[in-house]
Amino acid sequence: MQFTCAPEDAAFSHAPLMALLCRMPKAELHVHVEGTLEPELIFALAERNGVKLPYASVDALRAAYAFTDLQSFLDVYYAGANVLLHEADFFDMAMAYFRRAAADNVVHAELFFDPQTHTERGVAFVTMINGLTRASQQAEQQWGITSGWILCFLRHRSEAAAFETLAQAEPFRALLLGVGLDSSEQGHPPEKFTRVFARCRALGLRCVAHAGEEGPPAYIAGALDALQAQRIDHGVRCLEDAALVARLVAQRVPLTVCPLSNLKLCVVPSLAAHPLPALLEAGLCVTLNSDDPAYFGGYINRNFTDTFTALPQLGAAHAYRLADNSFTASFAPPERQAAWRQRLDRLFAAA
Ligand code: HPA
Ligand code: ZN
């Protein structure tokens, strides 16, 4: 179904557009499962596991969620993940996400997890992957959501540490959708992991990478050239390099954009200043996602509604395109994508 911009969109007043954004089926392709740990669950798991937290209460922890940049967030985020010890903890965390995602009409999710954050505390790879994949199975039964797991290497750690993690993951290769690259971007270019990603590709793993969130456009080019990334996570800084934008459009490389994350980590000064309209206008395959919803003030629908509210030039045609892109950009089989697209078409035809 083709939607053109402006004229038809004027017919959508604010409330129906918000309802459409919430009701439309969508895939979420950029969400860190550790970033879905709500403060209440952090406290519950801390108590269950006898872990001492450096915060007196849920409110005190929430008060620490005032970030100035990516690193200030990562410090709090890694501290929160310390409560995860047993398979049941990973299962409960993932189930809480799937429950929220189902409420937001997410039909498919490709989630990141950070094994190094856990193995360095003595948690075995098998413990986390069993908890996460058991949650995937239950979520599909309970809510019909399909999902896959993307192992992220921490870019602030060494190449050798990434190889060690990959060796731990190899026996569970069949349970992994692919690999990604996250954590502190500045000073850790994609090229640091060229050889690890080559090995991942040889194992048949799909490759994605965070790039161009805080880092320069050269890191996006590096993720394409050195890592052969099939999607770029964030990528908003590509707009600083016209040739790079042309390349991303020509190669149909999707960008998994996370507006509330960009706002909370001061990548943009306000949602009204978010480059989403320019990214869409450039013809990029953009998707909207929540990144770390427990920390950034909202799950995927909140990202849609807050962003569309702040950017009134965006209307139903853009909503359709973003949902459609989320299916195209997913690693789901084409026939599944086509089925979701039919549901999307039916909803928009009735709107
Ligand atoms: N960027 C980089 N690393 C991360 C993020 C992010 O937004 N969230 C969790 N790890
Ligand atoms: Zn991210």
Side-chain angles (χ1 to χ4, degrees):
M1 178 177 293
Q2 242 352 82
F3 278 89
T4 52
C5 291
E8 295 96 310
D9 288 349
F12 283 91
S13 77
H14 191 68
L17 177 59
M18 294 299 113
L20 195 61
L21 292 169
C22 293
R23 284 175 55 211
M24 65 183 189
K26 52 187 76 72
E28 178 149 55
L29 308 177
H30 183 161
V31 56
H32 303 258
V33 72
E34 295 90 348
T36 71
L37 256 186
E38 292 287 347
E40 289 78 6
L41 187 53
I42 292 179
F43 269 78
L45 294 180
E47 186 164 1
R48 186 160 97 185
N49 292 334
V51 174
K52 180 109 187 68
L53 289 171
Y55 302 95
S57 65
V58 164
D59 287 344
L61 175 56
R62 235 191 214 105
Y65 295 0
F67 312 116
T68 50
D69 58 11
L70 175 58
Q71 193 57 53
S72 65
F73 155 69
L74 290 171
D75 295 342
V76 177
Y77 160 87
Y78 292 130
N82 282 340
V83 299
L84 298 161
L85 293 181
H86 308 295
E87 184 186 318
D89 306 335
F90 290 90
F91 174 83
D92 290 347
M93 168 174 64
M95 283 305 284
Y97 164 74
F98 287 128
R99 187 172 295 110
R100 268 309 274 104
D104 280 5
N105 293 304
V106 170
V107 293
H108 177 76
E110 296 177 4
L111 295 106
F112 299 127
F113 69 113
D114 288 342
Q116 287 158 294
T117 304
H118 313 300
T119 51
E120 69 190 8
R121 295 180 294 108
V123 177
F125 195 92
V126 65
T127 301
M128 57 187 118
I129 199 70
N130 279 353
L132 299 176
T133 53
R134 197 159 57 81
S136 283
Q137 287 163 10
Q138 185 151 330
E140 185 163 1
Q141 282 169 12
Q142 207 160 329
W143 298 294
I145 297 184
T146 50
S147 56
W149 293 97
I150 299 177
L151 180 167
C152 273
F153 299 109
L154 300 182
R155 67 201 304 156
H156 70 274
R157 304 214 43 204
S158 66
E159 181 197 42
F163 268 119
E164 201 178 305
T165 300
L166 183 56
Q168 292 165 357
E170 276 199 40
F172 308 97
R173 154 74 195 89
L175 300 177
L176 297 174
L177 193 57
V179 295
L181 189 61
D182 67 0
S183 189
S184 325
E185 189 178 3
Q186 302 269 25
H188 301 286
E191 290 79 3
K192 185 173 162 185
F193 298 96
T194 300
R195 294 188 296 189
V196 184
F197 272 65
R199 171 81 187 132
C200 291
R201 289 196 306 278
L203 289 169
L205 290 161
R206 296 170 179 94
C207 297
V208 301
H210 283 56
E213 177 185 18
E214 283 188 345
Y219 283 20
I220 300 174
L224 299 177
D225 293 331
L227 309 184
Q228 295 181 36
Q230 294 168 260
R231 293 196 298 248
I232 298 294
D233 297 310
H234 293 295
V236 288
R237 287 194 61 193
C238 71
L239 290 170
E240 296 166 32
D241 182 338
L244 177 62
V245 170
R247 177 182 180 188
L248 291 165
V249 172
Q251 296 182 1
R252 297 292 294 157
V253 180
L255 302 185
T256 62
V257 171
C258 309
L260 286 176
S261 166
N262 294 153
L263 178 67
K264 288 293 190 299
L265 301 188
C266 307
V267 170
V268 295
S270 65
L271 281 183
H274 196 279
L276 177 63
L279 295 165
L280 286 166
E281 195 60 32
L284 289 154
C285 181
V286 185
T287 68
L288 284 199
N289 309 270
S290 68
D291 205 3
D292 300 285
Y295 291 91
F296 298 151
Y299 287 76
I300 192 166
N301 279 0
R302 189 71 190 261
N303 274 270
F304 272 99
T305 55
D306 281 9
T307 305
F308 275 63
T309 299
L311 294 163
Q313 67 269 48
L314 297 179
H318 303 98
Y320 182 92
R321 184 144 30 115
L322 289 164
D324 186 24
N325 286 348
S326 76
F327 305 143
T328 308
S330 77
F331 293 129
E335 60 276 12
R336 304 278 320 287
Q337 296 184 20
W340 296 325
R341 211 164 271 123
Q342 275 185 7
R343 281 175 60 179
L344 189 65
D345 286 349
R346 276 200 299 273
L347 180 72
F348 274 70

